[in-house]
Amino acid sequence: MSASPFDILFEPVQIGPVTAKNRFYQVPHCTGSGALRPRIQAHMREVKAEGGWGVVNTEYCSVHPSSDDLPYVSATLWDDRDIKAHAEMTEKVHAHGALAGVELMLGGARMANLDTREVPLSAGNLPNLAGNPFQSRAMDLSDIRDARRWHRDAALRAKTAGFDLVYVYATHGYLLSQFLSKTTNHRGDAYGGALENRVRLLREIIEDTKDAVGDTMAVAVRFSAETNGGGGADGAPIPGETEDMFGLLAELPDLWDINIEDYSYEMGLSRFTPEAALEPYVAGIKSLTSKPVVSVGRFTSPDTMASQVRRGVLDLIGAARPSIADPFLPNKIREGRLEDIRECIGCNICYTGDGKGVPIRCTQNPTMSEEWRRGWHPERMNAKRSDDTVLIVGAGPTGLEAAHALGKRGYNVMLAEATRVLGGRVTQEARLPGLTQWARVRDYRLQQIDKLPNVEVFRESALTAEQVFEIAPDHVAIATGATWRRDGYGANALAGIAGLGPAAPIFTPDDIMAGRLPEGRVVVYDDDHYYMGTVVAELLRLKGCAVTLMTPEDLVSTWGAYTYDRWRAQARLLELGVQLSVARSLRSFDGARVVSGCTYTGRETEVAADDLVLVTARQPKDALYRQILEYPLHTSDGPLKSVAKIGDCDAPAIIAAAVFAGHRYARALEADVDRDAPLRHDRVYS
Ligand code: ADP
Ligand code: SF4
């Protein structure tokens, strides 16, 4: 085989006593499953190992009940009964020749211990760093001895569970970073004050871990390359004592996993953060240590990955999201199938599982967390059951995924799209500021469909019920999407908004995406609470409008907190000079004034406005579906064996739900899926 520019990514890497078969390294990432859903977790990690990742890690793993982060779900190694669940994962990961790692975690003042009701332990009597009214106890020397013992015991259990690599977790604001940082460590003893003292606990825990398991297991340290408290502009680290700290520890562990504390940049949305964004922080680390270095950067481009290694920035290509969007990314690169890579779009829907305490999901990869529960594999479909034909109407994310997945099953598929342009909402939304990567949802599926001779795409084919019966497929799925509502109906206006005059100039995101823009003074009313309101406000401000973003919630983009949209979006709007108006319910608009009521007192105020943009709720476009059901030829012995509506035209939701709906339809067609059977439930009895 001829040499490939990506061969360098497939070189083995020695990590202490173990060897990773290649440079593809799935860093620890939350799954919303952890200790609560061990089988979902184990099977999901197995698929990554099968897809070629050389190292596959767990999420953060609590070593003791005093590090209980619920409702954020972590793994646990509190006692020997936790070993079995982990052993299931390591066995599965090993079956594919990958190394398995576990990220041990002492949480300190980030833990409220809401489940276990233990007192949080930290460097001082710190306020809870996750916003709970529970302060931590300042650890005395016996607490420190306990913490070291818990960590050591957990490392020994990790060894019994079959892990090859164990983490000492010293960033992201957890206990060890609380000791490292001047901001949180005000101790006057041997663990506070001078740099050597603040580093002491981390050093001791690295040494304990090496001593306990270092003969056979690699010891990794996750460490922040950012100076205490950050403070620099994005991508512009401020030099400081981090380097000195690093200097004190550089040769101690077997691997450095380098990060920054600011999650909103480290796992930044594509809306705000480019690929390889951490390079300015990480670039100098390799010159300070002889140990291998891994870091992340939402790496989806093999060229970028190879360049990181070639230029000596990284030894291992760390990935959470790219491995979620495409567990088979390494194998696809190795086999030269770059066009088959399902690229992460940087939407952070995967992160919502953590905040909501539910299994991780992914916009691009509908099989994520469904490997065990539904038996879905990201690369393999169940074979077709007949030679039946399927017509999919609508080529948005739902229709594209359904057509692609059915095509892979072997069915003959016709995909009809009303417009010339394919992609539906993702094509539309990708035109909005920061959302260009949404188009990857379309592009991946079109690339795949292109390879499937059994899938035919018909553009400019707005079908009627009559035409559907003329085509007479065996099965038809309607995926015609949804439109944004113009009447104000939304979560905070379930009876609509009476005072929207019929002549008042009202716009919706559909108008904006179609290029019909308001001018002058605009109120964007956001009763959707995810990205659309802030993105539309940003666009209109950039076009020169005077914009007020109004919402009935107390905060801007409340649901965006789960994806990390919220803070960055609010900061951007403030920087652009958008006025924010929170806790206001829209009452009326007459073309000159928007009247709103305080959501607490009802007190009304007015804002002068020429135009109003309503970002509230969406209306399913299900007319075609209903017409088919009512069509005279639609009888039990008529030509259509089944009619379904799927995705946004069934129930408008996030893009991930649309892709999931299309995939689920494709899996289930003629597959005897029992809708009444309960979903396989990861019940755990120890
Ligand atoms: P989803 O998110 O569920 O995929 P979208 O709104 O993104 O929904 O996509 C729906 C697609 O269906 C759009 O591209 C739209 O042009 C197309 N469409 C709507 N009605 C028809 C129809 N009668 N025939 C063919 N395509 C249609
Ligand atoms: Fe990437 Fe979005 Fe999937 Fe997360 S959910 S892996 S950000 S595509």
Side-chain angles (χ1 to χ4, degrees), residues 393-399 416-419 423-426 461-463 479-482 621 624 646-649 658:
V393 186
T398 308
E417 164 55 44
T419 65
R425 66 180 288 188
V426 290
S461 304
L463 296 189
T480 43
K621 274 175 67 181
L624 177 61
I646 50 176
D648 285 315
C649 90

Short mmCIF file of all heavy atoms in Angstrom, two decimals, residues 393-399 416-419 423-426 461-463 479-482 621 624 646-649 658, ligand 1:
data_model
loop_
_atom_site.label_atom_id
_atom_site.label_comp_id
_atom_site.label_asym_id
_atom_site.label_seq_id
_atom_site.Cartn_x
_atom_site.Cartn_y
_atom_site.Cartn_z
N VAL A 393 -40.85 11.98 1.30
CA VAL A 393 -41.19 13.31 0.79
C VAL A 393 -40.59 14.36 1.72
O VAL A 393 -40.95 14.44 2.89
CB VAL A 393 -42.72 13.50 0.70
CG1 VAL A 393 -43.03 14.85 0.03
CG2 VAL A 393 -43.36 12.36 -0.07
N GLY A 394 -39.66 15.14 1.17
CA GLY A 394 -38.99 16.18 1.96
C GLY A 394 -37.55 15.78 2.24
O GLY A 394 -37.30 14.70 2.79
N ALA A 395 -36.61 16.64 1.82
CA ALA A 395 -35.19 16.31 1.98
C ALA A 395 -34.50 17.21 2.99
O ALA A 395 -33.42 17.73 2.76
CB ALA A 395 -34.48 16.36 0.63
N GLY A 396 -35.16 17.42 4.13
CA GLY A 396 -34.49 18.05 5.27
C GLY A 396 -33.69 16.98 6.00
O GLY A 396 -33.50 15.87 5.48
N PRO A 397 -33.21 17.26 7.21
CA PRO A 397 -32.42 16.25 7.92
C PRO A 397 -33.18 14.95 8.15
O PRO A 397 -32.60 13.87 8.07
CB PRO A 397 -32.08 16.94 9.25
CG PRO A 397 -32.87 18.20 9.30
CD PRO A 397 -33.26 18.55 7.91
N THR A 398 -34.50 15.05 8.36
CA THR A 398 -35.28 13.82 8.57
C THR A 398 -35.31 12.97 7.31
O THR A 398 -34.98 11.78 7.33
CB THR A 398 -36.74 14.17 8.94
OG1 THR A 398 -36.75 15.09 10.01
CG2 THR A 398 -37.53 12.94 9.30
N GLY A 399 -35.70 13.60 6.20
CA GLY A 399 -35.85 12.86 4.96
C GLY A 399 -34.52 12.35 4.44
O GLY A 399 -34.41 11.22 3.95
N ALA A 416 -38.19 12.77 -2.67
CA ALA A 416 -38.73 13.92 -3.43
C ALA A 416 -38.63 15.18 -2.60
O ALA A 416 -39.06 15.20 -1.44
CB ALA A 416 -40.19 13.64 -3.79
N GLU A 417 -38.09 16.22 -3.20
CA GLU A 417 -37.93 17.50 -2.48
C GLU A 417 -38.57 18.61 -3.31
O GLU A 417 -38.33 18.71 -4.51
CB GLU A 417 -36.44 17.77 -2.23
CG GLU A 417 -36.08 19.20 -1.86
CD GLU A 417 -36.82 19.75 -0.65
OE1 GLU A 417 -36.95 19.03 0.37
OE2 GLU A 417 -37.31 20.89 -0.73
N ALA A 418 -39.35 19.45 -2.62
CA ALA A 418 -40.10 20.50 -3.32
C ALA A 418 -39.17 21.50 -4.00
O ALA A 418 -39.45 21.96 -5.11
CB ALA A 418 -41.00 21.23 -2.33
N THR A 419 -38.07 21.83 -3.34
CA THR A 419 -37.23 22.91 -3.86
C THR A 419 -36.04 22.33 -4.63
O THR A 419 -35.83 21.11 -4.66
CB THR A 419 -36.70 23.78 -2.71
OG1 THR A 419 -35.83 22.99 -1.91
CG2 THR A 419 -37.83 24.32 -1.86
N GLY A 423 -31.70 19.70 1.88
CA GLY A 423 -31.22 19.99 3.24
C GLY A 423 -32.25 20.64 4.15
O GLY A 423 -32.06 20.65 5.37
N GLY A 424 -33.32 21.19 3.58
CA GLY A 424 -34.38 21.77 4.42
C GLY A 424 -33.82 22.75 5.42
O GLY A 424 -33.05 23.64 5.08
N ARG A 425 -34.15 22.55 6.66
CA ARG A 425 -33.81 23.53 7.69
C ARG A 425 -32.31 23.70 7.89
O ARG A 425 -31.85 24.78 8.22
CB ARG A 425 -34.49 23.19 9.02
CG ARG A 425 -33.99 21.90 9.65
CD ARG A 425 -34.70 21.61 10.97
NE ARG A 425 -34.27 22.52 12.03
CZ ARG A 425 -34.62 22.37 13.30
NH1 ARG A 425 -35.41 21.38 13.67
NH2 ARG A 425 -34.19 23.21 14.21
N VAL A 426 -31.53 22.61 7.69
CA VAL A 426 -30.09 22.80 7.94
C VAL A 426 -29.45 23.69 6.87
O VAL A 426 -28.53 24.45 7.15
CB VAL A 426 -29.30 21.47 8.13
CG1 VAL A 426 -29.67 20.82 9.43
CG2 VAL A 426 -29.46 20.54 6.97
N SER A 461 -39.72 18.86 -6.79
CA SER A 461 -40.84 17.91 -6.88
C SER A 461 -41.74 18.06 -5.66
O SER A 461 -41.69 17.25 -4.74
CB SER A 461 -40.31 16.47 -6.97
OG SER A 461 -39.43 16.33 -8.04
N ALA A 462 -42.51 19.13 -5.65
CA ALA A 462 -43.46 19.35 -4.55
C ALA A 462 -44.65 18.43 -4.78
O ALA A 462 -45.46 18.68 -5.67
CB ALA A 462 -43.90 20.81 -4.52
N LEU A 463 -44.71 17.39 -4.02
CA LEU A 463 -45.71 16.36 -4.31
C LEU A 463 -47.06 16.69 -3.70
O LEU A 463 -47.15 17.26 -2.61
CB LEU A 463 -45.23 15.01 -3.79
CG LEU A 463 -43.97 14.43 -4.43
CD1 LEU A 463 -43.75 13.00 -3.96
CD2 LEU A 463 -44.05 14.47 -5.96
N ALA A 479 -41.92 13.85 5.32
CA ALA A 479 -40.91 14.54 6.15
C ALA A 479 -40.84 15.99 5.68
O ALA A 479 -39.79 16.49 5.30
CB ALA A 479 -39.56 13.84 6.02
N THR A 480 -42.01 16.63 5.71
CA THR A 480 -42.13 17.95 5.08
C THR A 480 -41.84 19.10 6.04
O THR A 480 -42.02 20.26 5.68
CB THR A 480 -43.54 18.10 4.46
OG1 THR A 480 -44.51 17.58 5.40
CG2 THR A 480 -43.64 17.32 3.17
N GLY A 481 -41.43 18.81 7.25
CA GLY A 481 -40.90 19.86 8.13
C GLY A 481 -41.95 20.70 8.82
O GLY A 481 -43.10 20.27 9.02
N ALA A 482 -41.55 21.90 9.16
CA ALA A 482 -42.41 22.78 9.96
C ALA A 482 -42.08 24.23 9.61
O ALA A 482 -41.02 24.52 9.07
CB ALA A 482 -42.14 22.54 11.45
N LYS A 621 -45.79 21.01 9.14
CA LYS A 621 -46.34 21.09 7.78
C LYS A 621 -46.83 19.69 7.40
O LYS A 621 -46.17 18.97 6.67
CB LYS A 621 -45.25 21.54 6.80
CG LYS A 621 -45.11 23.05 6.71
CD LYS A 621 -43.95 23.46 5.84
CE LYS A 621 -44.14 23.12 4.37
NZ LYS A 621 -42.96 23.52 3.57
N LEU A 624 -49.87 17.45 3.64
CA LEU A 624 -49.77 16.35 2.67
C LEU A 624 -50.10 15.01 3.33
O LEU A 624 -50.82 14.17 2.76
CB LEU A 624 -48.36 16.32 2.06
CG LEU A 624 -48.09 15.19 1.08
CD1 LEU A 624 -49.02 15.27 -0.13
CD2 LEU A 624 -46.64 15.20 0.62
N ILE A 646 -42.85 11.89 9.80
CA ILE A 646 -41.67 11.80 10.65
C ILE A 646 -40.96 13.15 10.76
O ILE A 646 -41.06 14.00 9.88
CB ILE A 646 -40.66 10.73 10.13
CG1 ILE A 646 -40.36 10.92 8.65
CG2 ILE A 646 -41.15 9.34 10.42
CD1 ILE A 646 -39.30 9.95 8.09
N GLY A 647 -40.24 13.33 11.86
CA GLY A 647 -39.42 14.53 12.04
C GLY A 647 -40.26 15.75 12.39
O GLY A 647 -41.28 15.65 13.06
N ASP A 648 -39.84 16.89 11.89
CA ASP A 648 -40.47 18.15 12.28
C ASP A 648 -41.93 18.24 11.82
O ASP A 648 -42.71 18.95 12.44
CB ASP A 648 -39.67 19.33 11.73
CG ASP A 648 -38.39 19.57 12.52
OD1 ASP A 648 -38.44 19.53 13.76
OD2 ASP A 648 -37.32 19.76 11.89
N CYS A 649 -42.30 17.53 10.78
CA CYS A 649 -43.71 17.61 10.36
C CYS A 649 -44.58 16.76 11.28
O CYS A 649 -45.80 16.87 11.26
CB CYS A 649 -43.90 17.24 8.89
SG CYS A 649 -44.19 15.52 8.56
N ALA A 658 -34.77 15.36 14.56
CA ALA A 658 -35.18 15.11 13.17
C ALA A 658 -34.36 13.96 12.58
O ALA A 658 -34.90 13.03 11.97
CB ALA A 658 -35.00 16.38 12.35
P1 ADP B 1 -37.04 18.08 8.94
O1 ADP B 1 -36.24 18.81 9.96
O2 ADP B 1 -38.11 17.24 9.56
O3 ADP B 1 -36.20 17.31 7.99
P2 ADP B 1 -37.22 20.38 7.19
O4 ADP B 1 -38.16 21.53 7.31
O5 ADP B 1 -35.79 20.59 7.41
O6 ADP B 1 -37.82 19.21 8.09
O7 ADP B 1 -37.33 19.80 5.75
C1 ADP B 1 -38.57 19.57 5.13
C2 ADP B 1 -38.33 19.58 3.61
O8 ADP B 1 -39.53 19.12 2.99
C3 ADP B 1 -38.06 20.96 3.03
O9 ADP B 1 -36.86 20.90 2.28
C4 ADP B 1 -39.27 21.25 2.15
O10 ADP B 1 -38.93 21.99 0.99
C5 ADP B 1 -39.73 19.86 1.80
N1 ADP B 1 -41.16 19.77 1.43
C6 ADP B 1 -42.22 20.33 2.07
N2 ADP B 1 -43.37 20.00 1.47
C7 ADP B 1 -43.06 19.19 0.44
C8 ADP B 1 -43.81 18.48 -0.55
N3 ADP B 1 -45.13 18.53 -0.61
N4 ADP B 1 -43.13 17.72 -1.45
C9 ADP B 1 -41.77 17.62 -1.39
N5 ADP B 1 -41.03 18.26 -0.48
C10 ADP B 1 -41.65 19.02 0.43
#
